[in-house]
Amino acid sequence: MLHLRFPHLVSPWPMLMALAASIPAFYDSLLPTPESWAESLYVLSALMVWLSAWSTRRTPGAAPRRGRRQRLLHEGGADVALGAALLVCAALPPSHASRAALAWRLVVALVTLARVLMLSKPLFARTGLARLLAMAAAVLGLCGIGYYWIDPEVTTLSDGLWLAFTTAATVGYGDLVPSSTASRIFSMFVVLLGYGVLSLVTASIAAMFVDTQERQVERDILRGLHTEIASLRQEIVELRTALDAAPPAAPPATAGLAPQPAADTAQGARPAPARGLPRQPADETRA
């Protein structure tokens, strides 16, 4: 039903890829020597977001309900505004040279992160432990590559991965710390994203143990119910056997009892006088 009503919601990957393209552009603008491809990534991301918003308006689904149609139009309008904001990011000067440009790009990055989380919500629904572990490894790997790229103090990829893990797990041993403005801002998003993914992994492991205990309790309860039902059936069988083996009961004895006279229904019969009243003569009764 979801595929028939909302075909554009089944595959959020085009929008996710478009928003992910703006992440390296944001951090490249923070470096002392930004690359020229960062502006191109902002423009490409804005165009893909607009294309996704246009497809959302053009194909809302087969006869959706009014509330859902309004929600789709609202999300399409928000995507159009987000695409325009990304296009403005491409036209601004580098973030390391302008605080206003940095503030604008940071706000757009936060909105982009919120939109990515909204689009990723169906991907985390009914997800097994193996898939969550793969997602956590992918997120930590990408964060490690990011630290290796933007932090001058991180000289090896293994150091970047270690810094990504300690940041996402909020451990902070102090052996490696973010040393630049870009890496500090990057750490904010690593904490939000990485800690959320690691929390899902730990919650899935805890739920697995709790589910095992609940199933054991349910099996014990069912085993007790089956035992009680079996004992009740055995008692019913024994009662039926005892009833079948018992001799038939004799009819009630009627010896020594006088037969009851039949009711006199002949015409002209008189009812018996009430007790305590004098009997009337026959002549007076006829008169």
Side-chain angles (χ1 to χ4, degrees), residues 71-153:
R71 186 184 66 182
L72 292 174
L73 292 177
H74 176 71
E75 291 182 356
D79 290 339
V80 171
L82 180 58
L86 291 172
L87 201 61
V88 172
C89 291
L92 292 176
S95 299
H96 69 89
S98 173
R99 291 185 177 273
L102 175 59
W104 175 262
R105 289 191 175 100
L106 184 59
V107 171
V108 174
L110 292 174
V111 175
T112 301
L113 179 62
R115 190 71 179 100
V116 167
L117 294 177
M118 291 175 59
L119 291 172
S120 303
K121 188 183 298 184
L123 301 178
F124 292 97
R126 298 179 182 179
T127 302
L129 179 60
R131 189 174 180 182
L132 286 176
L133 288 174
M135 288 183 178
V139 169
L140 292 178
L142 293 175
C143 292
I145 294 174
Y147 276 121
Y148 177 65
W149 174 44
I150 63 178
D151 198 322
E153 297 295 331

Side-chain angles (χ1 to χ4, degrees), residues 2-167:
L2 184 63
H3 179 71
L4 293 178
R5 288 178 177 269
F6 305 99
H8 63 282
L9 293 180
V10 177
S11 180
W13 293 109
M15 176 67 80
L16 287 174
M17 294 174 62
L19 296 176
S22 64
I23 297 176
F26 169 75
Y27 290 105
D28 184 77
S29 64
L30 291 170
L31 298 178
T33 56
E35 301 291 340
S36 59
W37 50 261
E39 299 178 358
S40 302
L41 281 180
Y42 269 127
V43 174
L44 179 62
S45 179
L47 293 178
M48 293 182 66
V49 168
W50 281 344
L51 181 62
S52 178
W54 177 79
S55 63
T56 300
R57 289 177 176 269
R58 293 287 296 177
T59 57
R65 290 181 292 184
R66 180 177 300 177
R68 291 181 176 177
R69 181 183 292 274
Q70 292 177 355
R71 186 184 66 182
L72 292 174
L73 292 177
H74 176 71
E75 291 182 356
D79 290 339
V80 171
L82 180 58
L86 291 172
L87 201 61
V88 172
C89 291
L92 292 176
S95 299
H96 69 89
S98 173
R99 291 185 177 273
L102 175 59
W104 175 262
R105 289 191 175 100
L106 184 59
V107 171
V108 174
L110 292 174
V111 175
T112 301
L113 179 62
R115 190 71 179 100
V116 167
L117 294 177
M118 291 175 59
L119 291 172
S120 303
K121 188 183 298 184
L123 301 178
F124 292 97
R126 298 179 182 179
T127 302
L129 179 60
R131 189 174 180 182
L132 286 176
L133 288 174
M135 288 183 178
V139 169
L140 292 178
L142 293 175
C143 292
I145 294 174
Y147 276 121
Y148 177 65
W149 174 44
I150 63 178
D151 198 322
E153 297 295 331
V154 179
T155 57
T156 61
L157 182 59
S158 59
D159 289 342
L161 294 174
W162 174 247
L163 182 58
F165 177 76
T166 56
T167 305

